[in-house]
Amino acid sequence: MQAWPEGPKIQVSSEGGADPIWSRDGKELFYRNGDKMMVVPVSLAGGFQPGKPRLLWKANTPRHEFLLRDAGATSANYDVTSDGQRFLMVKDLDQDAVSTRIVVVLNFAEELKRLTAAAKSK
């Protein structure tokens, strides 16, 4: 970890890591370490202070196989819900394929209201 744009580097993981994602409240940092999903608590009181990393789960079943694939140096293939309890992860259906498209719906709530109103009027 390094303050932006410049600052001292602070080690967060004890065995390496990749694809970090901040929790919504800024109190935890999630990251991948090979086939493991990790979390480390952080405190910002008196400067950045990382706690001890903790294993969330290890990819030891087919449902976790996405952890074995690197997402890249500048992005992660997952995100964490605001309560930090669930993960949304991108998984390719074909192990040799690369995801080339993600559909993002802006103003989803408004679009849902519009579609609901249109359905009711029929």
Side-chain angles (χ1 to χ4, degrees):
M1 195 60 137
Q2 183 173 353
W4 187 86
E6 295 177 15
K9 291 183 180 183
I10 301 170
Q11 186 169 343
V12 173
S13 65
S14 56
E15 299 175 1
D19 304 331
I21 297 282
W22 282 103
S23 65
R24 297 299 189 268
D25 63 8
K27 295 180 181 178
E28 293 178 308
L29 187 62
F30 299 92
Y31 64 93
R32 291 182 335 106
N33 179 4
D35 63 351
K36 300 175 206 161
M37 180 59 73
M38 306 292 291
V39 64
V40 62
V42 296
S43 172
L44 300 177
F48 181 82
Q49 296 293 322
K52 183 179 177 182
R54 179 173 54 91
L55 174 69
L56 291 176
W57 73 79
K58 184 175 179 180
N60 55 4
T61 66
R63 74 184 186 113
H64 293 133
E65 65 192 28
F66 52 83
L67 283 176
L68 302 174
R69 301 183 72 151
D70 291 330
T74 61
S75 65
N77 64 348
Y78 69 96
D79 201 1
V80 185
T81 58
S82 60
D83 63 4
Q85 299 301 305
R86 292 169 291 185
F87 292 76
L88 174 66
M89 304 195 157
V90 175
K91 177 182 175 186
D92 292 321
L93 296 176
D94 180 345
Q95 293 301 313
D96 296 323
V98 176
S99 297
T100 59
R101 186 178 129 184
I102 295 178
V103 176
V104 177
V105 179
L106 301 176
N107 299 318
F108 177 77
E110 293 302 316
E111 179 67 5
L112 185 59
K113 286 179 192 175
R114 185 187 70 75
L115 292 171
T116 303
K120 286 181 182 178
S121 66
K122 288 185 177 181

